[in-house]
Amino acid sequence: MNNGYYENLDINFTSALKLYEENYTHNELIEFLKSGNIVQKQISALRLDGIYSQNDAEVLLSNLTGQDGKVREAVSLRLVEFMSNPEYLQFFEGEKYCQIFLDAIIDINGNICRNSICAISNLKNDAGFYKKFCPMLVDLTNNLLNLIEMFNFKEGKYKVNKEVFKLYWCLETIYEFYDKINFEDLKNILLRAKNIQEYTIREKAAKILSRNLNDKELNQAREELKNDSNYYVRRF
């Protein structure tokens, strides 16, 4: 590694230390999130004490996607905290941020996916959110199923894994919002997912089916998965 690498490392460390040690105001932290560098955005997200306006929410969410992974993960972690607080949740309600959240649940970083799902689970009772978000989620899930059903799992392993990873997190999100999704759409997804070769997808289908959905075909699908060859699938 060249000297420039270590110089940048030192600069980033010094910048991070300064951000931790100095008492920046809430508005200054928001400004760092708007136009700061990676270190400034990451630490500003971690240091925010709350969300006090629609602008605060918008600035924070603008860093949930399309940013360096350190920034995205820090933001997703704070969203879990902020969106579990009714005082702050109001700023994330409605359909305005549906696309951002949809993109976040299929991030390449599983921690970001998990945190984002945990955060938006607080919007289950917000009709303005789930009436827009759930159809988008269904469309994304069906598109991924269309791709994966055509895959030869013995070839193109990277491409397979990438799309399976996204589908896995879509199904995890569906588990949280199952009762907000059109039943026929939900049924169709589960009857397709239960036949996917990759066991992690069948596992998620089995988890959703453990919700005891009142349908003959889905009950049969659940029994089928209870006898799956993979332990993680049949445990549900």
Side-chain angles (χ1 to χ4, degrees), residues 20-232:
Y20 268 120
E21 289 180 342
E22 293 202 14
N23 292 320
Y24 290 102
T25 67
H26 176 83
N27 287 339
E28 286 173 329
L29 294 175
I30 290 294
E31 285 302 313
F32 280 134
L33 281 168
K34 281 184 180 179
S35 56
N37 59 33
I38 291 171
V39 173
Q40 289 170 332
K41 288 188 173 193
Q42 179 191 21
I43 295 179
S44 294
L46 294 173
R47 287 200 59 186
L48 275 183
D49 61 348
I51 298 296
Y52 304 115
S53 69
Q54 200 67 56
N55 179 67
D56 288 355
E58 192 160 325
V59 170
L60 186 64
L61 283 174
S62 71
N63 288 285
L64 182 59
T65 60
Q67 298 291 328
D68 181 86
K70 300 183 192 71
V71 176
R72 302 196 315 275
E73 187 162 358
V75 170
S76 72
L77 184 65
R78 296 313 306 280
L79 283 172
V80 174
E81 177 185 346
F82 292 145
M83 292 179 68
S84 66
N85 185 329
E87 181 182 350
Y88 305 142
L89 183 62
Q90 60 179 313
F91 298 115
F92 300 96
E93 292 175 337
E95 64 178 51
K96 186 174 183 180
Y97 305 119
C98 285
Q99 187 61 57
I100 292 175
F101 285 127
L102 190 69
D103 292 339
I105 66 167
I106 55 169
D107 194 281
I108 60 172
N109 181 327
N111 290 332
I112 296 170
C113 302
R114 187 177 296 105
N115 289 340
S116 298
I117 294 168
C118 183
I120 65 172
S121 67
N122 294 288
L123 295 171
K124 288 178 185 176
N125 295 320
D126 175 21
F129 174 75
Y130 68 73
K131 285 184 178 180
K132 175 75 172 181
F133 178 80
C134 287
M136 294 169 66
L137 175 62
V138 166
D139 287 344
L140 176 59
T141 304
N142 281 324
N143 288 337
L144 290 168
L145 281 165
N146 291 340
L147 288 172
I148 293 168
E149 286 170 341
M150 294 188 296
F151 281 153
N152 180 342
F153 276 75
K154 294 180 181 178
E155 300 176 2
K157 193 65 177 177
Y158 171 75
K159 185 177 181 181
V160 172
N161 286 343
K162 185 179 178 183
E163 303 307 324
V164 166
F165 183 83
K166 293 177 184 178
L167 179 58
Y168 175 96
W169 290 110
C170 281
L171 292 172
E172 183 68 16
T173 310
I174 287 173
Y175 176 78
E176 295 295 333
F177 286 89
Y178 78 100
D179 58 341
K180 309 300 183 186
I181 293 172
N182 176 275
F183 185 77
E184 289 304 315
D185 289 335
L186 178 64
K187 181 176 177 178
N188 176 60
I189 287 170
L190 292 173
L191 292 178
R192 296 174 71 186
K194 77 177 182 64
N195 294 320
I196 297 297
Q197 186 176 337
E198 171 57 49
Y199 85 86
T200 58
I201 300 305
R202 302 197 308 279
E203 177 190 1
K204 288 301 172 189
K207 183 177 179 180
I208 298 168
L209 287 165
S210 71
R211 293 290 199 180
N212 292 315
L213 304 171
N214 186 23
D215 179 86
K216 183 178 179 180
E217 286 183 88
L218 292 183
N219 289 338
Q220 289 175 344
R222 186 181 184 190
E223 289 304 312
E224 180 182 331
L225 292 177
K226 280 185 176 181
N227 294 293
D228 194 272
S229 60
N230 186 283
Y231 163 75
Y232 294 101

Side-chain angles (χ1 to χ4, degrees), residues 7-19 39 43:
E7 288 174 4
N8 288 335
L9 201 62
D10 287 340
I11 291 170
N12 287 340
F13 179 78
T14 302
S15 176
L17 189 62
K18 182 179 180 181
L19 274 166
V39 173
I43 295 179

